[in-house]
Amino acid sequence: MNPVPSNQASEPAGSASPSFRPLYQQIKALITQSLQSGEWKPGELMPSEVELAGRFKVSQGTVRKAIDELAAENLVVRRQGKGTFVATHAEERAHFRFLRLMPDEGLPQHSDSRFVEVKRIRAPAEVARLLELKSGDAVVYIKRVLSFEGQPTILEELWLPGQLFKGLSAERLVEYKGPMYGLFESEFGTRMIRATEKIRAVVADASASEFLKVDEGTPLLCAERVSFTYGDKAVELRRGLYSTANHHYLSELS
């Protein structure tokens, strides 16, 4: 990777140029390019700040500020006395990053997952639009129930681009014991780095009633999430129905 172009690095802080970005953001973009290209794999130790500063021909402070932002976005993880590592969905701390349903009492627990259906289908128009596919393109459709301490709590439907997730089967999902995003990362080279989510209140229909063991008409939360990988590429649509009899949705704002 080349150092930051000198005409950009030397641009004055007060520049009104619409293309101007602070130097640390330029370094952040270059590091992100390396993450996207797979130069440093998930879980791998990255070069030190001193090494990166030498590579990009900038100060260590500039690199540190870029790393600070990447860490805040959960793309990298700092470990005291060890260095900076590429974040990975296989880590214990990552299990609950995208799952915001928390128990009313006690600590968050891992869920038991039961796959109801896994198949390749043609993308319905709305799914294709949200995943930026052509209507009718192949997608992998997954339906599953997640239970906590034996209680069905989440009914989920997922749609994944078929081209990106070739070979994903029910057998592979059942065999893999870690979080689903860990499987996507390790076997399909797709890392979810951010998501947008819409939440609304609904009532249980006959299907939700059957899978979640609740009465029809029971209030549920419906969360629709689109997850993105590097380059803001949409790679997953997930719709979940949440039973909140013993759980609540937690969102930490800063």
Side-chain angles (χ1 to χ4, degrees):
M1 183 178 293
N2 296 323
V4 178
S6 58
N7 64 325
Q8 293 180 10
S10 61
E11 216 168 338
S15 171
S17 167
S19 62
F20 172 76
R21 286 188 299 170
L23 185 55
Y24 78 91
Q25 289 189 356
Q26 297 176 43
I27 300 305
K28 175 187 172 185
L30 292 173
I31 294 173
T32 302
Q33 287 175 17
S34 289
L35 294 171
Q36 183 175 2
S37 69
E39 179 178 350
W40 309 307
K41 306 295 183 188
E44 188 173 298
L45 177 66
M46 292 174 55
S48 69
E49 292 177 359
V50 172
E51 292 172 314
L52 290 172
R55 171 173 176 168
F56 298 125
K57 297 183 172 25
V58 295
S59 71
Q60 187 177 345
T62 297
V63 171
R64 182 175 299 116
K65 197 167 182 180
I67 296 291
D68 284 343
E69 286 209 352
L70 292 168
E73 294 171 10
N74 295 298
L75 294 183
V76 302
V77 178
R78 281 197 169 100
R79 293 179 186 157
Q80 188 66 33
K82 295 182 178 179
T84 301
F85 293 76
V86 182
T88 172
H89 288 296
E91 290 180 348
E92 182 71 20
R93 62 187 294 275
H95 290 191
F96 300 101
R97 182 181 166 204
F98 288 91
L99 178 61
R100 299 301 179 92
L101 203 65
M102 297 295 167
D104 290 337
E105 296 181 3
L107 298 174
Q109 301 293 320
H110 290 292
S111 61
D112 294 319
S113 182
R114 176 172 71 88
F115 292 94
V116 177
E117 198 171 6
V118 180
K119 61 184 179 181
R120 291 179 72 88
I121 62 173
R122 294 189 179 278
E126 180 66 4
V127 172
R129 182 183 70 81
L130 291 171
L131 290 179
E132 301 173 2
L133 302 172
K134 295 178 182 177
S135 187
D137 279 358
V139 292
V140 178
Y141 170 77
I142 301 169
K143 185 173 185 176
R144 68 172 181 166
V145 177
L146 284 77
S147 299
F148 296 90
E149 298 183 338
Q151 179 62 48
T153 305
I154 304 173
L155 174 61
E156 280 190 332
E157 293 180 291
L158 293 82
W159 293 264
L160 306 163
Q163 184 69 24
L164 198 59
F165 289 90
K166 282 183 177 178
L168 181 59
S169 65
E171 292 75 18
R172 190 65 197 97
L173 287 165
V174 170
E175 286 173 2
Y176 190 80
K177 300 309 178 186
M180 190 180 287
Y181 281 171
L183 174 66
F184 295 169
E185 176 185 275
S186 63
E187 297 203 7
F188 297 92
T190 302
R191 174 169 165 72
M192 312 298 186
I193 62 172
R194 75 172 187 89
T196 60
E197 195 168 57
K198 298 177 183 177
I199 301 176
R200 59 172 58 89
V202 299
V203 295
D205 60 12
S207 175
S209 170
E210 176 187 356
F211 286 112
L212 294 177
K213 309 300 182 189
V214 297
D215 294 334
E216 285 191 48
T218 297
L220 302 172
L221 281 183
C222 176
E224 178 182 284
R225 179 200 308 161
V226 179
S227 297
F228 299 83
T229 189
Y230 298 107
D232 265 356
K233 177 177 174 57
V235 286
E236 180 201 55
L237 169 62
R238 184 180 298 224
R239 289 179 182 150
L241 294 176
Y242 295 168
S243 170
T244 57
N246 300 301
H247 291 75
H248 59 272
Y249 188 93
L250 177 66
S251 180
E252 296 182 359
L253 307 177
S254 60

